[in-house]
Amino acid sequence: MELSVGLVEPAGDDADNPPGIGVIAPFDFALDRELWRWAPEDVSLYLTRLPFFTTPVTVEMAVAVGDRRALRRATRDVLTPQPGVVTFACTSGSFVGGTQGEYVLRRTMLEAGAPTVSTTSGALIEAMRVLGVHRLAIATPYIDAVTARLVRYLGEHDVQTVSKQGLGLLGNIWRVTYAEVVEIVKAVDRPEAEALFISCTNLPTYDVIEPLEQALGKPVLTANQVTMWAALRAIGRSAVGGGRLLAAPGRLSVA
């Protein structure tokens, strides 16, 4: 007797080649569950982590996270399940070297065999272009030196940082609460800011985006949000969740 559980198998190419995203994260990344919340049910995430080291969250750590040899190896590791895109899910590691550094990261992943690629900081720029944002307020968990690198990176893309505020953390960023995120975002907002950006993929933000947008009356972008939004767009899919970015029309961008 054949057991039926009421499931219908997908047909065609999607059944043979389900979409997937290769995710390269820093060794201390702790929010796998948050990335999955943006993914449609039929999209798999193939996560791998970069090698462990003991440096605190400083400029030096951000540079080390973006080491080309480690990134090349991680890209090759995550290619086995044949993802449609590989994304470097680290904000500071992808902005610390400026626009040129972010380009080098993408080229490294492509040269390692990724079919198409994205980075968190590159995704942020693409998101602001889709929303038409040129003046940004930024909230970060970083020390001032790391936040300053983000401001410089944004400036290279003709984005003006109208205000900035960091938590000054050197580690354990994933332990920051939603209440603390909301507090720093409200504190950094300015009337001239067209949108706000909450930096760091290790900072939880999924459930606060819509409430903050309603309270502040402007788009709120976050690191994990733009990372998943861009990666899903690269494979022709849409992210799951709320917020103005996810509702915005715009062309699909494939690196």
Side-chain angles (χ1 to χ4, degrees), residues 3-24:
L3 178 64
S4 174
V5 292
L7 298 179
V8 179
E9 292 293 336
D13 292 341
D14 287 343
D16 298 329
N17 301 292
I21 298 172
V23 180
I24 300 173

Side-chain angles (χ1 to χ4, degrees), residues 10-230:
D13 292 341
D14 287 343
D16 298 329
N17 301 292
I21 298 172
V23 180
I24 300 173
F27 67 91
D28 64 342
F29 182 67
L31 298 182
D32 304 55
R33 66 190 183 279
E34 179 156 302
L35 294 187
W36 277 100
R37 296 181 72 182
W38 268 288
E41 289 186 2
D42 64 336
V43 174
S44 293
L45 304 185
Y46 313 125
L47 281 101
T48 191
R49 281 169 171 75
L50 294 164
F52 170 80
F53 48 87
T54 58
T55 308
V57 183
T58 59
V59 169
E60 290 73 22
M61 176 181 175
V63 171
V65 166
D67 176 75
R68 292 187 66 189
R69 290 169 298 179
L71 185 61
R72 186 180 299 111
R73 185 164 53 248
T75 301
R76 290 171 178 164
D77 288 346
V78 85
L79 289 179
T80 300
Q82 299 181 336
V85 60
V86 176
T87 186
F88 181 45
C90 180
T91 325
S92 61
S94 55
F95 69 60
V96 68
T99 301
Q100 182 62 27
E102 193 273 337
Y103 170 78
V104 169
L105 294 174
R106 287 188 286 111
R107 291 303 313 173
T108 299
M109 291 188 287
L110 287 170
E111 290 167 2
T116 189
V117 299
S118 62
T119 71
T120 299
S121 296
L124 170 62
I125 299 303
E126 183 70 12
M128 288 190 294
R129 287 173 179 163
V130 166
L131 293 172
V133 170
H134 301 282
R135 296 188 300 277
L136 194 66
I138 58 175
T140 85
Y142 313 131
I143 61 173
D144 289 346
V146 179
T147 300
R149 290 293 187 102
L150 173 56
V151 173
R152 183 192 304 177
Y153 172 77
L154 292 168
E156 291 176 352
H157 288 278
D158 297 321
V159 176
Q160 178 187 359
T161 300
V162 300
S163 62
K164 62 184 185 297
Q165 187 164 327
L167 294 174
L169 299 179
L170 291 171
N172 297 328
I173 290 172
W174 67 88
R175 294 180 178 173
V176 174
T177 65
Y178 275 157
E180 291 172 297
V181 171
V182 169
E183 182 179 355
I184 191 173
V185 171
K186 288 185 174 180
V188 81
D189 185 32
R190 298 291 184 274
E192 62 270 28
E194 297 170 330
L196 295 103
F197 175 57
I198 308 172
S199 191
C200 191
T201 53
N202 235 351
L203 206 62
T205 58
Y206 189 92
D207 293 304
V208 300
I209 295 171
E210 283 190 292
L212 281 169
E213 288 190 340
Q214 292 170 6
L216 303 176
K218 61 188 68 174
V220 173
L221 304 172
T222 82
N224 284 329
Q225 174 204 47
V226 299
T227 299
M228 290 301 296
W229 169 83

